[in-house]
């Protein structure tokens, strides 16, 4: 699940989604477990859990799997693992910085998986802080333009979410990315819903201060590293500050 939220990478991700469906489900379920453990098992009182469940449902995770994950995380059912969040930093071709978020119950396994995925695919591990300084924590809500045949406009989205704390509405082609401070992401998502619109995802992400434009060959090399990282069960998100060529979108 690449955390690089540019819609330009959507085609690339959809091309491999079927082959990775099992791994994707496992990562979404893990997210739900952690959200339930930290904030309780009631989505109405736990916005992080609510959005984790919605994200899983949009990826067609069966409801039974979701319900069991909530119960395990909240302690209503045995079997929940103790996960911790770990961050790794790496450099990819083209001077692109990768910020890698892991959710794991085994530090050594995560470190090994990340290092192998990066170094075997033309990247290198980076010192702590050298990549993370290029990113900021932001609330990110993604909204598709086509809403059951109705086309959403940038002006309409801005008007609906301005009082909720939205900072920027960016046109990404097939959809919009709404950016806010991390604490405002739930209010922005609620404002989108109050306007009668659906949303693709709503979560706190690491957003780069700038994107490095790269050519098609370099973009392929970067995506190979991201795909290899995604193959690890422990890797939840990969953030990458690159802009693929226009014809890649």
């Amino acid at each position: 699940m690449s955390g690089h939220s540019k819609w330009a990478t959507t085609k690339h991700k959809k091309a491999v989604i079927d082959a990775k469906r099992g791994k994707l489900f496992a990562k979404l379920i893990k997210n739900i477990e952690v959200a339930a453990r930290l904030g309780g098992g009631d989505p109405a009182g736990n916005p992080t859990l609510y959005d984790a469940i919605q994200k899983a449902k949009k990826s067609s995770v069966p409801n039974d799997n979701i319900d069991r994950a909530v119960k395990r995380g909240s302690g209503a059912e045995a079997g929940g693992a103790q996960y911790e969040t770990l961050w790794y930093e790496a450099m990819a071709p083209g001077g692109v910085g990768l910020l890698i978020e892991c959710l794991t119950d085994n530090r050594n396994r995560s470190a090994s998986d990340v290092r192998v995925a990066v170094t075997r695919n033309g990247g290198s591990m980076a010192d702590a802080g050298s990549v993370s300084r290029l990113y900021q924590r932001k609330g990110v809500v993604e909204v598709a333009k086509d809403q059951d045949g109705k086309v959403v406009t940038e002006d309409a989205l801005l008007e609906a979410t301005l009082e909720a704390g939205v900072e920027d509405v960016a046109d990404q082609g097939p959809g919009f990315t709404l950016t806010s401070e991390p604490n405002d992401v739930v209010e922005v998502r609620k404002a989108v819903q109050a306007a009668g619109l659906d949303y693709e995802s709503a979560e706190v992400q690491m957003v780069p201060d700038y994107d490095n434009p790269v050519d098609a060959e370099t973009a392929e090399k970067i995506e190979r590293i991201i795909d290899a990282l995604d193959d690890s069960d422990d890797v939840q998100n990969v953030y990458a500050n690159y802009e693929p060529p226009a014809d890649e979108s």
Side-chain angles (χ1 to χ4, degrees), residues 195-231:
L197 302 174
D198 195 10
Y199 70 101
E200 297 298 307
S201 63
E203 57 195 346
V204 174
Q205 298 184 4
M206 299 302 292
V207 176
D209 292 332
Y210 62 90
D211 287 320
N212 284 329
V214 298
D215 58 27
E217 182 180 355
T218 303
E220 288 180 7
K221 292 177 180 178
I222 296 167
E223 287 164 4
R224 277 202 296 272
I225 297 176
I226 293 174
D227 283 345
L229 288 165
D230 279 343
D231 279 339

mmCIF file of all heavy atoms in Angstrom, residues 195-231:
data_model
loop_
_atom_site.group_PDB
_atom_site.id
_atom_site.type_symbol
_atom_site.label_atom_id
_atom_site.label_comp_id
_atom_site.label_asym_id
_atom_site.label_seq_id
_atom_site.Cartn_x
_atom_site.Cartn_y
_atom_site.Cartn_z
ATOM 1 N N ALA A 195 -21.545 17.002 2.680
ATOM 2 C CA ALA A 195 -21.879 17.571 1.373
ATOM 3 C C ALA A 195 -22.484 16.529 0.437
ATOM 4 O O ALA A 195 -22.729 16.810 -0.744
ATOM 5 C CB ALA A 195 -20.626 18.173 0.743
ATOM 6 N N GLY A 196 -22.715 15.322 0.962
ATOM 7 C CA GLY A 196 -23.319 14.261 0.168
ATOM 8 C C GLY A 196 -22.360 13.544 -0.747
ATOM 9 O O GLY A 196 -22.778 12.911 -1.723
ATOM 10 N N LEU A 197 -21.054 13.611 -0.430
ATOM 11 C CA LEU A 197 -20.032 13.010 -1.277
ATOM 12 C C LEU A 197 -19.381 11.817 -0.586
ATOM 13 O O LEU A 197 -19.297 11.770 0.640
ATOM 14 C CB LEU A 197 -18.960 14.044 -1.630
ATOM 15 C CG LEU A 197 -19.450 15.311 -2.334
ATOM 16 C CD1 LEU A 197 -18.298 16.293 -2.483
ATOM 17 C CD2 LEU A 197 -20.060 14.976 -3.691
ATOM 18 N N ASP A 198 -18.912 10.877 -1.387
ATOM 19 C CA ASP A 198 -18.155 9.744 -0.874
ATOM 20 C C ASP A 198 -16.673 10.102 -0.899
ATOM 21 O O ASP A 198 -16.258 11.024 -1.592
ATOM 22 C CB ASP A 198 -18.420 8.505 -1.729
ATOM 23 C CG ASP A 198 -17.955 7.228 -1.055
ATOM 24 O OD1 ASP A 198 -17.603 7.282 0.142
ATOM 25 O OD2 ASP A 198 -17.926 6.180 -1.725
ATOM 26 N N TYR A 199 -15.880 9.377 -0.143
ATOM 27 C CA TYR A 199 -14.432 9.610 -0.123
ATOM 28 C C TYR A 199 -13.712 8.288 -0.294
ATOM 29 O O TYR A 199 -14.222 7.232 0.068
ATOM 30 C CB TYR A 199 -14.007 10.306 1.167
ATOM 31 C CG TYR A 199 -14.105 9.438 2.406
ATOM 32 C CD1 TYR A 199 -12.978 8.843 2.958
ATOM 33 C CD2 TYR A 199 -15.335 9.194 3.025
ATOM 34 C CE1 TYR A 199 -13.065 8.039 4.076
ATOM 35 C CE2 TYR A 199 -15.438 8.392 4.144
ATOM 36 C CZ TYR A 199 -14.302 7.811 4.663
ATOM 37 O OH TYR A 199 -14.391 7.000 5.775
ATOM 38 N N GLU A 200 -12.532 8.343 -0.889
ATOM 39 C CA GLU A 200 -11.752 7.140 -1.132
ATOM 40 C C GLU A 200 -10.976 6.709 0.107
ATOM 41 O O GLU A 200 -10.892 5.537 0.428
ATOM 42 C CB GLU A 200 -10.786 7.373 -2.300
ATOM 43 C CG GLU A 200 -11.463 7.654 -3.632
ATOM 44 C CD GLU A 200 -12.325 6.495 -4.089
ATOM 45 O OE1 GLU A 200 -11.825 5.357 -4.144
ATOM 46 O OE2 GLU A 200 -13.520 6.737 -4.371
ATOM 47 N N SER A 201 -10.377 7.658 0.790
ATOM 48 C CA SER A 201 -9.622 7.365 2.008
ATOM 49 C C SER A 201 -9.472 8.639 2.824
ATOM 50 O O SER A 201 -9.540 9.747 2.281
ATOM 51 C CB SER A 201 -8.238 6.781 1.695
ATOM 52 O OG SER A 201 -7.442 7.719 0.995
ATOM 53 N N ALA A 202 -9.286 8.460 4.116
ATOM 54 C CA ALA A 202 -9.065 9.591 5.029
ATOM 55 C C ALA A 202 -8.121 9.105 6.118
ATOM 56 O O ALA A 202 -8.480 8.238 6.913
ATOM 57 C CB ALA A 202 -10.383 10.081 5.622
ATOM 58 N N GLU A 203 -6.915 9.662 6.156
ATOM 59 C CA GLU A 203 -5.925 9.202 7.122
ATOM 60 C C GLU A 203 -4.793 10.216 7.230
ATOM 61 O O GLU A 203 -4.658 11.114 6.397
ATOM 62 C CB GLU A 203 -5.359 7.844 6.700
ATOM 63 C CG GLU A 203 -4.729 7.843 5.318
ATOM 64 C CD GLU A 203 -4.500 6.441 4.779
ATOM 65 O OE1 GLU A 203 -4.584 5.473 5.552
ATOM 66 O OE2 GLU A 203 -4.238 6.323 3.574
ATOM 67 N N VAL A 204 -4.003 10.049 8.270
ATOM 68 C CA VAL A 204 -2.807 10.875 8.433
ATOM 69 C C VAL A 204 -1.675 10.221 7.646
ATOM 70 O O VAL A 204 -1.426 9.023 7.778
ATOM 71 C CB VAL A 204 -2.434 11.022 9.918
ATOM 72 C CG1 VAL A 204 -1.104 11.763 10.065
ATOM 73 C CG2 VAL A 204 -3.543 11.753 10.684
ATOM 74 N N GLN A 205 -1.030 11.004 6.803
ATOM 75 C CA GLN A 205 0.072 10.516 5.990
ATOM 76 C C GLN A 205 1.283 11.432 6.138
ATOM 77 O O GLN A 205 1.184 12.533 6.676
ATOM 78 C CB GLN A 205 -0.328 10.464 4.510
ATOM 79 C CG GLN A 205 -1.472 9.535 4.181
ATOM 80 C CD GLN A 205 -1.734 9.469 2.688
ATOM 81 O OE1 GLN A 205 -1.016 10.058 1.876
ATOM 82 N NE2 GLN A 205 -2.774 8.727 2.302
ATOM 83 N N MET A 206 2.408 10.953 5.631
ATOM 84 C CA MET A 206 3.600 11.779 5.534
ATOM 85 C C MET A 206 3.627 12.369 4.131
ATOM 86 O O MET A 206 3.723 11.640 3.135
ATOM 87 C CB MET A 206 4.849 10.953 5.805
ATOM 88 C CG MET A 206 4.889 10.324 7.191
ATOM 89 S SD MET A 206 4.785 11.538 8.543
ATOM 90 C CE MET A 206 6.357 12.384 8.363
ATOM 91 N N VAL A 207 3.511 13.679 4.045
ATOM 92 C CA VAL A 207 3.423 14.367 2.749
ATOM 93 C C VAL A 207 4.750 15.079 2.473
ATOM 94 O O VAL A 207 5.235 15.839 3.314
ATOM 95 C CB VAL A 207 2.258 15.378 2.752
ATOM 96 C CG1 VAL A 207 2.220 16.178 1.458
ATOM 97 C CG2 VAL A 207 0.937 14.650 2.969
ATOM 98 N N PRO A 208 5.339 14.855 1.296
ATOM 99 C CA PRO A 208 6.632 15.488 1.002
ATOM 100 C C PRO A 208 6.505 16.989 0.764
ATOM 101 O O PRO A 208 5.477 17.459 0.265
ATOM 102 C CB PRO A 208 7.091 14.771 -0.270
ATOM 103 C CG PRO A 208 5.839 14.303 -0.920
ATOM 104 C CD PRO A 208 4.892 13.980 0.198
ATOM 105 N N ASP A 209 7.542 17.726 1.113
ATOM 106 C CA ASP A 209 7.570 19.174 0.868
ATOM 107 C C ASP A 209 7.652 19.469 -0.624
ATOM 108 O O ASP A 209 7.223 20.523 -1.081
ATOM 109 C CB ASP A 209 8.762 19.812 1.583
ATOM 110 C CG ASP A 209 8.619 19.767 3.098
ATOM 111 O OD1 ASP A 209 7.478 19.761 3.586
ATOM 112 O OD2 ASP A 209 9.654 19.741 3.785
ATOM 113 N N TYR A 210 8.219 18.557 -1.390
ATOM 114 C CA TYR A 210 8.316 18.728 -2.837
ATOM 115 C C TYR A 210 8.467 17.356 -3.471
ATOM 116 O O TYR A 210 8.822 16.375 -2.796
ATOM 117 C CB TYR A 210 9.511 19.607 -3.218
ATOM 118 C CG TYR A 210 10.852 19.023 -2.818
ATOM 119 C CD1 TYR A 210 11.555 18.190 -3.691
ATOM 120 C CD2 TYR A 210 11.412 19.289 -1.566
ATOM 121 C CE1 TYR A 210 12.768 17.641 -3.329
ATOM 122 C CE2 TYR A 210 12.627 18.737 -1.193
ATOM 123 C CZ TYR A 210 13.305 17.912 -2.079
ATOM 124 O OH TYR A 210 14.504 17.360 -1.720
ATOM 125 N N ASP A 211 8.174 17.262 -4.762
ATOM 126 C CA ASP A 211 8.353 16.027 -5.518
ATOM 127 C C ASP A 211 9.455 16.205 -6.551
ATOM 128 O O ASP A 211 9.526 17.235 -7.221
ATOM 129 C CB ASP A 211 7.056 15.629 -6.231
ATOM 130 C CG ASP A 211 6.007 15.089 -5.279
ATOM 131 O OD1 ASP A 211 6.392 14.341 -4.358
ATOM 132 O OD2 ASP A 211 4.815 15.400 -5.447
ATOM 133 N N ASN A 212 10.299 15.187 -6.695
ATOM 134 C CA ASN A 212 11.340 15.188 -7.716
ATOM 135 C C ASN A 212 10.764 14.671 -9.033
ATOM 136 O O ASN A 212 10.305 13.526 -9.093
ATOM 137 C CB ASN A 212 12.497 14.263 -7.309
ATOM 138 C CG ASN A 212 13.386 14.866 -6.254
ATOM 139 O OD1 ASN A 212 13.553 16.075 -6.194
ATOM 140 N ND2 ASN A 212 13.951 14.017 -5.405
ATOM 141 N N PRO A 213 10.783 15.473 -10.097
ATOM 142 C CA PRO A 213 10.360 14.958 -11.405
ATOM 143 C C PRO A 213 11.369 13.903 -11.876
ATOM 144 O O PRO A 213 12.574 14.111 -11.791
ATOM 145 C CB PRO A 213 10.384 16.194 -12.315
ATOM 146 C CG PRO A 213 10.436 17.369 -11.389
ATOM 147 C CD PRO A 213 11.151 16.903 -10.163
ATOM 148 N N VAL A 214 10.869 12.760 -12.349
ATOM 149 C CA VAL A 214 11.755 11.709 -12.846
ATOM 150 C C VAL A 214 11.254 11.227 -14.199
ATOM 151 O O VAL A 214 10.077 11.386 -14.542
ATOM 152 C CB VAL A 214 11.828 10.518 -11.862
ATOM 153 C CG1 VAL A 214 12.399 10.956 -10.525
ATOM 154 C CG2 VAL A 214 10.453 9.875 -11.674
ATOM 155 N N ASP A 215 12.160 10.627 -14.983
ATOM 156 C CA ASP A 215 11.755 10.083 -16.272
ATOM 157 C C ASP A 215 11.146 8.697 -16.072
ATOM 158 O O ASP A 215 11.129 8.144 -14.959
ATOM 159 C CB ASP A 215 12.941 10.042 -17.239
ATOM 160 C CG ASP A 215 14.110 9.215 -16.713
ATOM 161 O OD1 ASP A 215 13.886 8.288 -15.909
ATOM 162 O OD2 ASP A 215 15.257 9.498 -17.115
ATOM 163 N N ALA A 216 10.630 8.128 -17.163
ATOM 164 C CA ALA A 216 9.910 6.862 -17.079
ATOM 165 C C ALA A 216 10.799 5.730 -16.564
ATOM 166 O O ALA A 216 10.362 4.899 -15.761
ATOM 167 C CB ALA A 216 9.330 6.503 -18.445
ATOM 168 N N GLU A 217 12.059 5.703 -17.012
ATOM 169 C CA GLU A 217 12.963 4.636 -16.583
ATOM 170 C C GLU A 217 13.225 4.704 -15.085
ATOM 171 O O GLU A 217 13.220 3.687 -14.388
ATOM 172 C CB GLU A 217 14.281 4.732 -17.355
ATOM 173 C CG GLU A 217 15.271 3.625 -17.005
ATOM 174 C CD GLU A 217 16.571 3.735 -17.787
ATOM 175 O OE1 GLU A 217 16.660 4.619 -18.674
ATOM 176 O OE2 GLU A 217 17.485 2.948 -17.523
ATOM 177 N N THR A 218 13.450 5.915 -14.592
ATOM 178 C CA THR A 218 13.699 6.085 -13.158
ATOM 179 C C THR A 218 12.444 5.757 -12.354
ATOM 180 O O THR A 218 12.524 5.135 -11.285
ATOM 181 C CB THR A 218 14.153 7.526 -12.861
ATOM 182 O OG1 THR A 218 15.318 7.812 -13.628
ATOM 183 C CG2 THR A 218 14.475 7.705 -11.392
ATOM 184 N N ALA A 219 11.282 6.159 -12.854
ATOM 185 C CA ALA A 219 10.022 5.850 -12.174
ATOM 186 C C ALA A 219 9.836 4.340 -12.027
ATOM 187 O O ALA A 219 9.405 3.853 -10.975
ATOM 188 C CB ALA A 219 8.848 6.456 -12.936
ATOM 189 N N GLU A 220 10.199 3.588 -13.072
ATOM 190 C CA GLU A 220 10.088 2.132 -13.006
ATOM 191 C C GLU A 220 11.006 1.548 -11.933
ATOM 192 O O GLU A 220 10.631 0.616 -11.215
ATOM 193 C CB GLU A 220 10.416 1.515 -14.367
ATOM 194 C CG GLU A 220 9.336 1.743 -15.412
ATOM 195 C CD GLU A 220 9.689 1.113 -16.748
ATOM 196 O OE1 GLU A 220 10.716 0.388 -16.807
ATOM 197 O OE2 GLU A 220 8.949 1.327 -17.724
ATOM 198 N N LYS A 221 12.212 2.094 -11.828
ATOM 199 C CA LYS A 221 13.152 1.622 -10.808
ATOM 200 C C LYS A 221 12.616 1.894 -9.400
ATOM 201 O O LYS A 221 12.728 1.049 -8.506
ATOM 202 C CB LYS A 221 14.508 2.304 -10.991
ATOM 203 C CG LYS A 221 15.245 1.899 -12.264
ATOM 204 C CD LYS A 221 16.551 2.673 -12.418
ATOM 205 C CE LYS A 221 17.289 2.280 -13.683
ATOM 206 N NZ LYS A 221 18.542 3.062 -13.855
ATOM 207 N N ILE A 222 12.044 3.089 -9.219
ATOM 208 C CA ILE A 222 11.470 3.448 -7.909
ATOM 209 C C ILE A 222 10.307 2.520 -7.575
ATOM 210 O O ILE A 222 10.192 2.028 -6.442
ATOM 211 C CB ILE A 222 11.012 4.919 -7.915
ATOM 212 C CG1 ILE A 222 12.202 5.853 -8.092
ATOM 213 C CG2 ILE A 222 10.255 5.249 -6.627
ATOM 214 C CD1 ILE A 222 11.807 7.287 -8.426
ATOM 215 N N GLU A 223 9.465 2.264 -8.578
ATOM 216 C CA GLU A 223 8.293 1.426 -8.341
ATOM 217 C C GLU A 223 8.680 -0.022 -8.051
ATOM 218 O O GLU A 223 7.971 -0.722 -7.316
ATOM 219 C CB GLU A 223 7.344 1.527 -9.531
ATOM 220 C CG GLU A 223 6.616 2.876 -9.562
ATOM 221 C CD GLU A 223 5.974 3.197 -10.899
ATOM 222 O OE1 GLU A 223 6.018 2.332 -11.805
ATOM 223 O OE2 GLU A 223 5.421 4.305 -11.018
ATOM 224 N N ARG A 224 9.809 -0.476 -8.602
ATOM 225 C CA ARG A 224 10.291 -1.824 -8.279
ATOM 226 C C ARG A 224 10.649 -1.919 -6.798
ATOM 227 O O ARG A 224 10.375 -2.930 -6.145
ATOM 228 C CB ARG A 224 11.496 -2.190 -9.148
ATOM 229 C CG ARG A 224 11.123 -2.710 -10.523
ATOM 230 C CD ARG A 224 12.250 -3.534 -11.131
ATOM 231 N NE ARG A 224 13.444 -2.738 -11.378
ATOM 232 C CZ ARG A 224 13.668 -2.068 -12.508
ATOM 233 N NH1 ARG A 224 12.774 -2.084 -13.474
ATOM 234 N NH2 ARG A 224 14.789 -1.386 -12.673
ATOM 235 N N ILE A 225 11.269 -0.867 -6.272
ATOM 236 C CA ILE A 225 11.603 -0.860 -4.847
ATOM 237 C C ILE A 225 10.327 -0.848 -4.017
ATOM 238 O O ILE A 225 10.191 -1.598 -3.040
ATOM 239 C CB ILE A 225 12.482 0.356 -4.492
ATOM 240 C CG1 ILE A 225 13.819 0.296 -5.229
ATOM 241 C CG2 ILE A 225 12.717 0.416 -2.982
ATOM 242 C CD1 ILE A 225 14.705 1.516 -5.015
ATOM 243 N N ILE A 226 9.372 0.002 -4.399
ATOM 244 C CA ILE A 226 8.111 0.089 -3.653
ATOM 245 C C ILE A 226 7.374 -1.249 -3.684
ATOM 246 O O ILE A 226 6.857 -1.715 -2.663
ATOM 247 C CB ILE A 226 7.227 1.216 -4.213
ATOM 248 C CG1 ILE A 226 7.884 2.578 -3.945
ATOM 249 C CG2 ILE A 226 5.832 1.176 -3.593
ATOM 250 C CD1 ILE A 226 7.160 3.754 -4.588
ATOM 251 N N ASP A 227 7.342 -1.903 -4.860
ATOM 252 C CA ASP A 227 6.682 -3.204 -4.964
ATOM 253 C C ASP A 227 7.357 -4.236 -4.058
ATOM 254 O O ASP A 227 6.690 -5.051 -3.417
ATOM 255 C CB ASP A 227 6.708 -3.697 -6.415
ATOM 256 C CG ASP A 227 5.680 -2.999 -7.287
ATOM 257 O OD1 ASP A 227 4.767 -2.362 -6.723
ATOM 258 O OD2 ASP A 227 5.790 -3.080 -8.526
ATOM 259 N N ALA A 228 8.685 -4.221 -4.033
ATOM 260 C CA ALA A 228 9.415 -5.171 -3.188
ATOM 261 C C ALA A 228 9.120 -4.913 -1.712
ATOM 262 O O ALA A 228 8.952 -5.854 -0.923
ATOM 263 C CB ALA A 228 10.918 -5.067 -3.452
ATOM 264 N N LEU A 229 9.034 -3.645 -1.330
ATOM 265 C CA LEU A 229 8.686 -3.313 0.052
ATOM 266 C C LEU A 229 7.264 -3.739 0.373
ATOM 267 O O LEU A 229 6.984 -4.268 1.456
ATOM 268 C CB LEU A 229 8.851 -1.806 0.280
ATOM 269 C CG LEU A 229 10.293 -1.303 0.345
ATOM 270 C CD1 LEU A 229 10.342 0.220 0.209
ATOM 271 C CD2 LEU A 229 10.956 -1.724 1.662
ATOM 272 N N ASP A 230 6.355 -3.530 -0.571
ATOM 273 C CA ASP A 230 4.959 -3.923 -0.361
ATOM 274 C C ASP A 230 4.803 -5.422 -0.166
ATOM 275 O O ASP A 230 3.824 -5.876 0.431
ATOM 276 C CB ASP A 230 4.094 -3.475 -1.549
ATOM 277 C CG ASP A 230 3.701 -2.012 -1.467
ATOM 278 O OD1 ASP A 230 3.804 -1.437 -0.370
ATOM 279 O OD2 ASP A 230 3.294 -1.446 -2.499
ATOM 280 N N ASP A 231 5.764 -6.205 -0.677
ATOM 281 C CA ASP A 231 5.703 -7.651 -0.512
ATOM 282 C C ASP A 231 5.916 -8.079 0.937
ATOM 283 O O ASP A 231 5.576 -9.209 1.308
ATOM 284 C CB ASP A 231 6.746 -8.341 -1.399
ATOM 285 C CG ASP A 231 6.279 -8.485 -2.839
ATOM 286 O OD1 ASP A 231 5.051 -8.434 -3.066
ATOM 287 O OD2 ASP A 231 7.131 -8.632 -3.727
#
